[in-house]
Amino acid sequence: MTDILLSADAEDADSPHYLRALTDMADRRTVVADAAIYTDNGIKLVEKGARIDSRLYDRLVQHKLREPIERHLSIENPVDVPSLLALGQMLIEQETLPAMLAEALGSGARLLAPLRS
Protein backbone atom coordinates (compact mmCIF):
# COMPACT_ATOMS: atom_id res chain seq x y z
CA MET A 1 0.00 0.00 0.00
CA THR A 2 1.34 3.45 -0.90
CA ASP A 3 1.43 6.22 1.69
CA ILE A 4 -0.24 9.23 0.07
CA LEU A 5 1.93 11.68 2.01
CA LEU A 6 5.13 9.97 0.98
CA SER A 7 4.17 9.83 -2.69
CA ALA A 8 3.07 13.47 -2.87
CA ASP A 9 5.75 16.02 -3.62
CA ALA A 10 6.60 18.66 -1.02
CA GLU A 11 4.68 21.36 -2.86
CA ASP A 12 1.42 19.41 -2.56
CA ALA A 13 2.13 18.27 1.00
CA ASP A 14 2.59 21.87 2.17
CA SER A 15 -0.25 23.38 0.16
CA PRO A 16 -2.39 26.06 1.85
CA HIS A 17 -5.26 23.56 2.20
CA TYR A 18 -3.03 20.97 3.87
CA LEU A 19 -1.50 23.56 6.21
CA ARG A 20 -4.98 24.87 7.13
CA ALA A 21 -6.21 21.37 7.95
CA LEU A 22 -3.04 20.64 9.92
CA THR A 23 -3.12 23.83 11.97
CA ASP A 24 -6.89 23.56 12.59
CA MET A 25 -6.44 19.99 13.82
CA ALA A 26 -3.59 21.21 16.03
CA ASP A 27 -6.08 23.47 17.82
CA ARG A 28 -7.80 20.31 19.05
CA ARG A 29 -4.80 17.99 19.55
CA THR A 30 -1.34 18.74 20.89
CA VAL A 31 1.06 18.99 17.94
CA VAL A 32 4.69 19.93 18.61
CA ALA A 33 7.64 20.66 16.34
CA ASP A 34 10.20 17.86 16.92
CA ALA A 35 12.74 19.89 14.96
CA ALA A 36 12.99 23.50 13.85
CA ILE A 37 11.06 24.30 10.67
CA TYR A 38 12.96 26.31 8.03
CA THR A 39 12.06 28.00 4.77
CA ASP A 40 13.80 26.81 1.63
CA ASN A 41 16.26 29.73 1.95
CA GLY A 42 17.22 28.92 5.55
CA ILE A 43 15.02 31.22 7.64
CA LYS A 44 13.80 29.55 10.83
CA LEU A 45 10.00 29.81 11.07
CA VAL A 46 9.32 27.59 14.08
CA GLU A 47 11.58 26.59 16.97
CA LYS A 48 12.04 22.98 18.02
CA GLY A 49 9.53 22.21 20.78
CA ALA A 50 7.06 24.91 19.76
CA ARG A 51 3.38 24.05 19.85
CA ILE A 52 1.72 24.19 16.44
CA ASP A 53 -1.76 25.68 16.09
CA SER A 54 -3.84 27.83 13.75
CA ARG A 55 -2.01 31.00 14.83
CA LEU A 56 1.00 29.74 12.81
CA TYR A 57 -0.98 29.21 9.60
CA ASP A 58 -0.26 32.67 8.12
CA ARG A 59 3.47 32.37 8.80
CA LEU A 60 3.70 28.86 7.34
CA VAL A 61 1.65 29.52 4.21
CA GLN A 62 3.71 32.57 3.20
CA HIS A 63 6.89 30.53 2.69
CA LYS A 64 8.10 27.52 0.77
CA LEU A 65 9.39 25.08 3.38
CA ARG A 66 12.75 23.32 3.10
CA GLU A 67 11.15 19.93 3.83
CA PRO A 68 7.56 18.70 4.15
CA ILE A 69 6.21 19.92 7.47
CA GLU A 70 5.04 16.49 8.68
CA ARG A 71 8.68 15.39 8.94
CA HIS A 72 9.06 17.84 11.83
CA LEU A 73 5.91 17.25 13.84
CA SER A 74 4.66 14.89 16.50
CA ILE A 75 1.15 14.55 17.87
CA GLU A 76 0.07 13.56 21.35
CA ASN A 77 -1.67 10.16 21.52
CA PRO A 78 -1.45 9.31 17.81
CA VAL A 79 -3.63 6.66 16.24
CA ASP A 80 -1.28 3.76 15.70
CA VAL A 81 -1.44 -0.01 15.33
CA PRO A 82 -1.17 -0.80 19.08
CA SER A 83 -3.98 1.63 19.94
CA LEU A 84 -6.20 0.20 17.18
CA LEU A 85 -5.52 -3.36 18.35
CA ALA A 86 -6.33 -2.44 21.95
CA LEU A 87 -9.60 -0.81 20.91
CA GLY A 88 -10.48 -3.77 18.68
CA GLN A 89 -9.82 -6.22 21.53
CA MET A 90 -11.97 -4.14 23.89
CA LEU A 91 -14.83 -4.17 21.35
CA ILE A 92 -14.56 -7.94 20.95
CA GLU A 93 -14.81 -8.34 24.72
CA GLN A 94 -17.64 -5.84 25.27
CA GLU A 95 -19.81 -5.74 22.13
CA THR A 96 -22.01 -8.43 20.63
CA LEU A 97 -21.32 -8.02 16.90
CA PRO A 98 -17.50 -7.97 17.13
CA ALA A 99 -17.65 -10.96 19.49
CA MET A 100 -19.84 -12.85 16.99
CA LEU A 101 -17.46 -12.01 14.14
CA ALA A 102 -14.46 -13.18 16.19
CA GLU A 103 -16.26 -16.42 17.02
CA ALA A 104 -17.18 -16.98 13.34
CA LEU A 105 -13.52 -16.53 12.36
CA GLY A 106 -12.30 -18.80 15.12
CA SER A 107 -10.61 -16.16 17.29
CA GLY A 108 -10.30 -12.48 18.04
CA ALA A 109 -6.73 -12.60 16.76
CA ARG A 110 -7.97 -13.57 13.29
CA LEU A 111 -10.48 -10.70 13.32
CA LEU A 112 -7.78 -8.23 14.33
CA ALA A 113 -5.12 -9.58 11.92
CA PRO A 114 -5.86 -6.99 9.18
CA LEU A 115 -5.14 -4.19 11.67
CA ARG A 116 -1.65 -5.59 12.26
CA SER A 117 -0.77 -5.35 8.59
Side-chain angles (χ1 to χ4, degrees), residues 50-69:
R51 179 137 194 267
I52 306 299
D53 59 28
S54 60
R55 294 174 294 181
L56 287 175
Y57 172 78
D58 289 332
R59 188 178 333 161
L60 293 169
V61 79
Q62 290 176 11
H63 302 279
K64 181 169 173 49
L65 302 180
R66 181 181 287 172
E67 298 177 318
I69 193 168

Side-chain angles (χ1 to χ4, degrees), residues 88 90-104 108 111:
M90 182 193 73
L91 289 173
I92 290 170
E93 293 169 2
Q94 296 179 0
E95 301 292 329
T96 305
L97 182 58
M100 290 172 52
L101 291 170
E103 185 178 327
L111 180 61

